[in-house]
Amino acid sequence: MEKLNFNLSFVYTDSRGHIMNFQLDGPVTANELKYSNYYNYDFSMVPSYSDLDIRTYDLIFSTSYKIRNNLSLGIQYNYRYYEDKKPYLGTPENPYKNSGQAHIGLIGINYKF
């Protein structure tokens, strides 16, 4: 069994954040900022768009087999899951996809010089 190795890891992340209400010191005028007439500087809706409630899972399983002292074969499988509990895009009736998963497989040959 000296030639065979197994590894398993799992990472869970639960993150939350948001921007508090804020106000600028005063109105922005055209003299203070070039091209200001092309933009809307009303930031009152920013806090409602900034809620973050994201969960991720990452499971990694790998194994390697030592063929010779300087040569080994490795296989790895990753499962990744992402979910946003409070997506700011879309509407409740027609929300954008707010979760996803990935299955990743890797095969490698390692050679030590």
Side-chain angles (χ1 to χ4, degrees):
M1 295 304 272
E2 277 185 23
K3 295 183 176 190
L4 190 60
N5 289 317
F6 294 101
N7 295 304
L8 179 66
S9 67
F10 177 76
V11 178
Y12 168 75
T13 304
D14 188 355
S15 58
R16 296 178 188 170
H18 68 277
I19 296 175
M20 305 287 282
N21 285 332
F22 64 91
Q23 292 181 343
L24 298 177
D25 293 336
V28 177
T29 65
N31 291 335
E32 294 172 332
L33 185 63
K34 275 187 169 179
Y35 312 113
S36 66
N37 58 339
Y38 293 113
Y39 301 100
N40 177 5
Y41 291 100
D42 178 12
F43 295 109
S44 62
M45 295 300 293
V46 169
S48 66
Y49 294 136
S50 69
D51 285 342
L52 299 174
D53 188 358
I54 298 170
R55 290 186 186 149
T56 61
Y57 304 93
D58 196 0
L59 174 68
I60 302 170
F61 173 75
S62 63
T63 183
S64 64
Y65 179 73
K66 189 175 186 181
I67 299 169
R68 296 187 184 142
N69 283 340
N70 61 349
L71 182 66
S72 63
L73 174 65
I75 298 173
Q76 180 173 313
Y77 169 74
N78 293 16
Y79 171 75
R80 294 185 177 173
Y81 179 77
Y82 172 90
E83 179 181 27
D84 189 350
K85 292 290 207 177
K86 293 186 177 180
Y88 66 92
L89 296 174
T91 64
E93 298 81 27
N94 186 18
Y96 285 82
K97 181 125 176 101
N98 60 353
S99 65
Q101 59 184 345
H103 300 272
I104 303 166
L106 304 167
I107 297 175
I109 297 174
N110 297 317
Y111 183 80
K112 292 182 184 179
F113 295 96

